[in-house]
Amino acid sequence: MHWMPRSWRWWLAWALLSLAGALLLAQLALQREQAAFETDARIAHRLLSQRVVAHDAVLAMLALLQPDDAALARLPSVYSQILTIRRSGAPTPWAEPLLRQAEARSRATGQPALADLDLGRGRYRLVQAAQPASYALQIDVASMVPWDEWPMARDSSPVAVALVLGDERLPVQAGRAVAHGWAYGFRKTLAAPSQPFALVATRTVGWSELPWGRMLALSAGVAAVLAAGRWLRMQSAARRRAEALVRLGQVGRLNALGELAAGMAHELNQPLTALLASTQAARRLVAEDPPEIATARAAMDQAVAQARRACEVVGRLRRAVERPGLGAALQAVDLPAAVRRALDLLEPELQRRAVVLQLDGAAADLRVRADPVALEQIVHNLLLNALQALEQVPQAERRLALLLSREQAEGVLAVQDSGPGLAPEVLPHVFEPFFSTREGGLGLGLSLCESLAQGMGGSLSAANARLRGGVFRLRLPLADGAIA
């Protein structure tokens, strides 16, 4: 798999949190719109129910009082929705069949009866049978609506309102047509049985009505919080990384100096032994009677030469520090986790050099027997060497591949770079102490790594990749759950 930069995780977190917040704000806005719609629809139903009940009351009053024509003429001025009032008695029955049929129904039920609907003009007629005269009201639906108390703006409200009776529909409020969005509906029959209209209200909330401003503000707020969190996390990670690098550097220097001291001890043994023999011989020659001054002088010259040789060897030791004991027992170590920790430490270096990293086998269960500190130092050194090699090629060609695998009883880490590779004359000497192709290098890093790997029962090898670059393979025995 390819190593994904941590910045992508923050972008993904921002996208998910922004989306979740936007969905929550949209849901709350839709809930508010639905609640407002239902409240307005119920108020409209109550107002219209009061008006149709008033029509029944007017007809009941007319049937009871039987007023004259003058009184009937004044009534529409009180009720603006009543356009006309007609009266019919036994001598002059209704001329229209619809009115006669409605009168018959009213006489049978004792309640007003609906005569007909005029959809074109938004009107209907209501008949009350009585003696000696029956009465009929012509009612205008638009005038019936109490617009001064109406909960919605008649011309701009997005809610459509109509009175529905069967297949007949009398529009009250046009509303606003929206092609796509969230639709809400309300339907309830008015309170007068004589006028069994159902008040039907519909509302569609379009995409443009969502709270986009608040959504963008929320997204910006999430970005600011995540940016602050990322900055704090980066500061903390940089501090931990610096501490870990200092620790690794100290351990590496101490181990390198220990390795150097071991080599120095071997190289100093011969000149010091010769120096001791020459000085002892010169002492004996001087003590003889008579003293053999010439021979003693030659012995001292040999002693001086051996001392100079020892000084040259000691001069190669840059610092004199005590070698720490690697007394930590070998234990089961998660090799992929150790590699990920090393990559985390070197993440700024990878980004600075624009290295494309490929990590395969990181999800495998690969536990090896190792000293955790020594293993971390080996991986760190191998990665550093690879980064130094990649500096010698153009930025667009920098590739670093890490492959974790299991081979028989060993766990293997292969570190392959796309650098210039190892020259044939260099390859046999890469693990020799004090051998370095880098100016100013001590030549102890790879030598120390090999010694540490061998001390843990493993091995470290170097070769050139098949196509390009160098590849180093670290092999360590598998832990198999056992602690050494």
Side-chain angles (χ1 to χ4, degrees):
M1 68 176 181
H2 291 279
W3 186 262
M4 185 175 70
R6 292 181 181 270
S7 59
W8 286 103
R9 304 178 189 176
W10 290 97
W11 282 111
L12 180 60
W14 171 79
L16 292 177
L17 290 175
S18 297
L19 178 60
L23 291 176
L24 179 60
L25 288 177
Q27 183 181 15
L28 293 175
L30 291 174
Q31 289 176 350
R32 286 194 299 269
E33 291 291 345
Q34 183 179 10
F37 162 76
E38 291 180 352
T39 299
D40 290 345
R42 293 183 187 281
I43 293 174
H45 176 269
R46 176 175 55 82
L47 292 174
L48 291 179
S49 291
Q50 291 172 354
R51 289 304 175 97
V52 295
V53 168
H55 300 158
D56 286 354
V58 168
L59 286 172
M61 178 192 67
L62 294 175
L64 178 64
L65 299 179
Q66 295 287 318
D68 56 19
D69 291 340
L72 293 179
R74 291 192 297 271
L75 196 58
S77 63
V78 179
Y79 296 96
S80 59
Q81 71 270 26
I82 299 178
L83 299 178
T84 60
I85 303 174
R86 296 176 62 184
R87 178 172 55 184
S88 174
T92 56
W94 300 112
E96 299 177 45
L98 290 176
L99 293 179
R100 290 199 301 271
Q101 294 170 8
E103 181 182 15
R105 292 195 302 272
S106 174
R107 199 175 300 280
T109 61
Q111 300 292 331
L114 192 65
D116 59 354
L117 296 177
D118 187 348
L119 294 178
R121 294 189 294 174
R123 299 173 180 180
Y124 67 92
R125 290 187 293 181
L126 194 63
V127 176
Q128 172 69 58
Q131 290 293 340
S134 297
Y135 295 88
L137 304 180
Q138 186 179 41
I139 299 169
D140 180 68
V141 174
S143 301
M144 183 176 71
V145 180
W147 295 112
D148 55 338
E149 302 178 46
W150 197 248
M152 297 162 279
R154 179 180 183 180
D155 298 326
S156 59
S157 174
V159 180
V161 181
L163 293 178
V164 177
L165 181 62
D167 296 332
E168 307 291 342
R169 183 183 184 89
L170 292 175
V172 175
Q173 180 173 286
R176 183 172 64 235
V178 178
H180 303 286
W182 292 264
Y184 306 121
F186 177 89
R187 183 186 183 97
K188 190 174 182 181
T189 304
L190 299 182
S194 63
Q195 304 154 78
F197 297 106
L199 183 139
V200 176
T202 57
R203 163 83 159 102
T204 301
V205 179
W207 286 91
S208 61
E209 298 180 70
L210 294 179
W212 295 108
R214 291 199 298 273
M215 291 181 188
L216 291 176
L218 174 66
S219 179
V222 170
V225 171
L226 287 179
R230 186 187 179 197
W231 182 82
L232 292 174
R233 186 181 179 89
M234 289 175 63
Q235 293 296 315
S236 176
R239 185 165 52 252
R240 289 196 307 270
R241 187 179 292 114
E243 293 172 354
L245 287 173
V246 169
R247 176 177 58 81
L248 268 180
Q250 290 173 343
V251 172
R253 283 193 296 272
L254 292 176
N255 285 342
L257 288 172
E259 190 74 14
L260 179 61
M264 292 299 175
H266 175 74
E267 293 190 34
L268 286 173
N269 183 58
Q270 183 177 355
L272 290 177
T273 301
L275 175 63
L276 178 62
S278 297
T279 54
Q280 287 176 341
R283 181 179 180 181
R284 287 196 303 272
L285 291 171
V286 171
E288 290 183 0
D289 188 19
E292 297 183 15
I293 300 302
T295 308
R297 184 180 290 110
M300 292 302 296
D301 289 341
Q302 292 180 1
V304 170
Q306 294 299 328
R308 286 176 178 168
R309 179 183 172 189
C311 287
E312 291 175 358
V313 173
V314 174
R316 297 162 69 183
L317 183 61
R318 296 190 173 183
R319 290 186 182 180
V321 296
E322 180 182 0
R323 182 184 182 185
L326 297 177
L330 300 183
Q331 54 187 277
V333 180
D334 189 339
L335 183 56
V339 172
R340 285 192 292 267
R341 285 193 297 271
L343 287 172
D344 183 63
L345 289 176
L346 291 173
E347 183 178 351
E349 298 298 322
L350 291 167
Q351 293 181 353
R352 183 174 65 83
R353 293 176 172 86
V355 175
V356 177
L357 178 65
Q358 181 178 350
L359 178 60
D360 293 328
D365 182 14
L366 201 58
R367 300 174 67 81
V368 296
R369 293 175 64 247
D371 173 11
V373 176
L375 175 58
E376 189 172 352
Q377 184 179 353
I378 294 173
V379 177
H380 185 267
N381 283 344
L382 293 179
L383 292 176
L384 272 181
N385 283 343
L387 292 179
Q388 292 165 0
L390 289 174
E391 289 181 342
Q392 304 176 44
V393 299
Q395 192 175 88
E397 301 176 9
R398 294 174 182 175
R399 303 286 188 273
L400 179 59
L402 279 69
L403 174 61
L404 292 158
S405 60
R406 183 191 304 262
E407 295 183 7
Q408 297 180 353
E410 291 180 325
V412 181
L413 166 63
V415 179
Q416 179 178 339
D417 60 70
S418 62
L422 300 168
E425 65 274 11
V426 170
L427 191 57
H429 305 287
V430 291
F431 296 117
E432 291 181 3
F434 311 113
F435 179 83
S436 176
T437 59
R438 187 163 49 91
E439 184 178 355
L442 279 176
L444 290 172
L446 290 176
S447 174
L448 174 62
C449 289
E450 184 188 39
S451 298
L452 291 175
Q454 291 176 352
M456 294 183 291
S459 63
L460 182 62
S461 61
N464 281 313
R466 184 171 60 88
L467 297 178
R468 175 180 176 180
V471 56
F472 287 82
R473 285 184 175 83
L474 171 65
R475 300 175 182 272
L476 293 172
L478 293 175
D480 293 332
I483 303 298

